[in-house]
Amino acid sequence: MRFSPVLAAVAAALLLAPSPAMATAKAAAPAATEESDREIVLAQLDYTTGLSVTFTDSVPSDEVGMVQTGMIGRAPLIVRDDEDTLLETYLAVTPPDVAVPQRLVEDHGTDLPAELQRRRITSEPVTAGGLTAPASAVRSGPATCTWSIFGWTLWHDDGVPGLPAKAYSTFDFGGFKQKIAESYVANCTPPSSTSNLWARHRIYYRNIFGNLVKHFEGIVPPGFHQAVTKSGKIKRHRTVSYDDGWNADPACFTCLYSREGRFRS
């Protein structure tokens, strides 16, 4: 896979995060020995703005996902139409010469987009760089810690000092199982800050045994933002949890991150 500076920054933040912060994170979600899906990268796309977009497949849940990561103010995020499948989003944000992952085609189901007739479909991982997202697909305006990427949300917490770790679940919103979980984090801590001042979001689902299984974990470095979608064909109970590397300490008055998300079918 081609080197991505954005993914390298995310990985560095994870490796340098201090263990006390990891211990505090237990307040928001299950602890270290938690069960996790295996993530398979379907496509790694890098844009000229510095935005990194990864499409994934999760095993054994059989769900697909999309992760966007970039620097606040430099890398505007792609905003998906609520009605689009991840295949339709992929086709909208890649040029015709970039191959299409077979798994996204399978997940879309019948009534395939006509554009697929002009695209090469592959079962191999796709890598592409130097891309430009169409202006119609990019969120306009600068991201801030009061900013929202989704058209509607079930939760939104502005970035303030001392924002406590928290988890949101489908049980908090009527108790209905849902097919899709979406989450956004903007780490508004100054970009020059040390990498241990990360913000984190994790996405879980309940399996047939009632156990929480981790779908995704994202460590967002200072000055970065990240949006995640996990989408399946089966309605499940789902949870999104949030915490940070400064242990929600209000004395760190420049340590700020906002969070928002939703569950939907």
Side-chain angles (χ1 to χ4, degrees):
M1 180 181 298
R2 195 171 58 81
F3 174 76
S4 169
V6 173
L7 294 182
V10 175
L14 177 58
L15 291 173
L16 296 176
S19 57
M22 290 295 188
T24 301
K26 294 178 182 179
T33 56
E34 59 195 1
E35 183 179 352
S36 300
D37 264 10
R38 180 168 61 93
E39 289 285 89
I40 300 169
V41 174
L42 301 174
Q44 175 61 53
L45 311 175
D46 293 312
Y47 291 79
T48 54
T49 58
L51 179 67
S52 172
V53 179
T54 307
F55 288 82
T56 63
D57 187 20
S58 293
V59 178
S61 65
D62 197 33
E63 298 200 354
V64 292
M66 177 182 178
V67 182
Q68 305 182 61
T69 307
M71 290 192 70
I72 296 172
R74 294 187 184 180
L77 299 186
I78 292 165
V79 178
R80 301 180 57 237
D81 189 308
D82 285 356
E83 304 305 315
D84 282 355
T85 65
L86 286 181
L87 172 63
E88 290 169 322
T89 298
Y90 186 93
L91 294 175
V93 302
T94 55
D97 61 336
V98 174
V100 179
Q102 176 70 39
R103 179 69 182 88
L104 294 182
V105 177
E106 295 168 352
D107 180 75
H108 178 88
T110 58
D111 192 23
L112 293 171
E115 184 182 341
L116 270 183
Q117 298 175 12
R118 301 186 296 273
R119 303 288 290 265
R120 182 172 68 88
I121 300 173
T122 180
S123 59
E124 298 297 320
V126 176
T127 59
L131 303 178
T132 301
S136 59
V138 174
R139 175 67 155 86
S140 61
T144 68
C145 264
T146 60
W147 189 77
S148 177
I149 187 173
F150 302 123
W152 58 270
T153 61
L154 290 175
W155 64 89
H156 175 93
D157 301 317
D158 286 347
V160 296
L163 187 69
K166 189 168 184 178
Y168 293 92
S169 166
T170 48
F171 292 107
D172 299 324
F173 305 101
F176 300 107
K177 296 179 179 180
Q178 302 287 357
K179 293 181 179 179
I180 299 170
E182 295 176 305
S183 177
Y184 171 74
V185 165
N187 187 350
C188 299
T189 305
S192 58
S193 303
T194 56
S195 60
N196 63 305
L197 297 180
W198 43 259
R200 172 167 63 172
H201 52 164
R202 290 174 285 179
I203 299 177
Y204 299 83
Y205 68 92
R206 287 193 183 273
N207 63 18
I208 59 174
F209 304 107
N211 300 325
L212 279 176
V213 180
K214 186 167 67 178
H215 245 160
F216 170 83
E217 179 170 357
I219 303 293
V220 185
F224 279 71
H225 57 167
Q226 185 175 79
V228 182
T229 296
K230 298 298 291 188
S231 176
K233 300 296 185 185
I234 300 174
K235 290 187 176 183
R236 309 177 191 264
H237 284 301
R238 302 175 186 269
T239 297
V240 181
S241 70
Y242 302 92
D243 65 327
D244 59 71
W246 54 91
N247 301 324
D249 183 358
C252 186
F253 59 89
T254 61
C255 298
L256 306 171
Y257 79 101
S258 67
R259 59 200 187 195
E260 71 173 30
R262 59 188 182 178
F263 306 113
R264 62 188 181 91
S265 292

